[in-house]
Amino acid sequence: MFEGIPLWAILVDYALGVVMYTLIARFAMGIFLPEDSSFFFNRFFVKVTNPLLKLFAPITPAFLIQPMRPIYVAWFFFMFRFYAMPWLLGYSVMGMLSFPLEGEVAQGLSRLLGRFLN
């Protein structure tokens, strides 16, 4: 499926993708739930992403409201995946790498929907 893409690149992309989507999930839950909610998933996302938010605090604008900070940090992970990964793999055009994580999810959904629609 990923011919020509080294294993290290797939593993790095998967790890960065999981971090990015975890931050996005925290942002989405933050729309509906307070940060100190007792809901299991919210507690998990807060606990897992707080170290990242603290790490990125020096470059996070002070005017950015607290609930928006996870999506701001997720943007950095997306940008790294979109621009740095192709560069590390030697592509001459930025953004040429199809994200392996999203490709796997799309193929899985395609197979699943194909079974239901046929």
Side-chain angles (χ1 to χ4, degrees):
M1 177 177 162
F2 300 118
E3 303 88 30
I5 300 176
L7 180 62
W8 68 265
I10 294 171
L11 294 176
V12 167
D13 183 68
Y14 272 47
L16 294 173
V18 167
V19 169
M20 182 184 78
Y21 284 115
T22 303
L23 286 160
I24 291 170
R26 177 177 173 169
F27 165 74
M29 284 199 179
I31 293 172
F32 302 105
L33 297 170
E35 190 172 317
D36 60 349
S37 170
S38 62
F39 183 56
F40 169 76
F41 288 115
N42 192 51
R43 283 189 320 208
F44 170 77
F45 288 126
V46 168
K47 184 177 181 179
V48 169
T49 58
N50 270 347
L52 282 171
L53 296 177
K54 288 178 184 173
L55 180 68
F56 280 82
I59 60 172
T60 303
F63 64 82
L64 198 61
I65 61 172
Q66 189 66 28
M68 293 293 292
R69 292 178 184 196
I71 201 78
Y72 178 79
V73 174
W75 175 78
F76 281 101
F77 284 90
F78 172 79
M79 295 305 285
F80 184 82
R81 291 176 70 212
F82 192 79
Y83 289 109
M85 289 300 291
W87 178 74
L88 291 171
L89 291 171
Y91 290 115
S92 61
V93 178
M94 293 299 176
M96 287 294 292
L97 177 65
S98 172
F99 299 130
L101 175 63
E102 286 81 356
E104 283 281 329
V105 171
Q107 283 187 348
L109 285 175
S110 175
R111 277 189 238 121
L112 182 67
L113 290 175
R115 290 180 187 162
F116 287 117
L117 298 176
N118 289 332

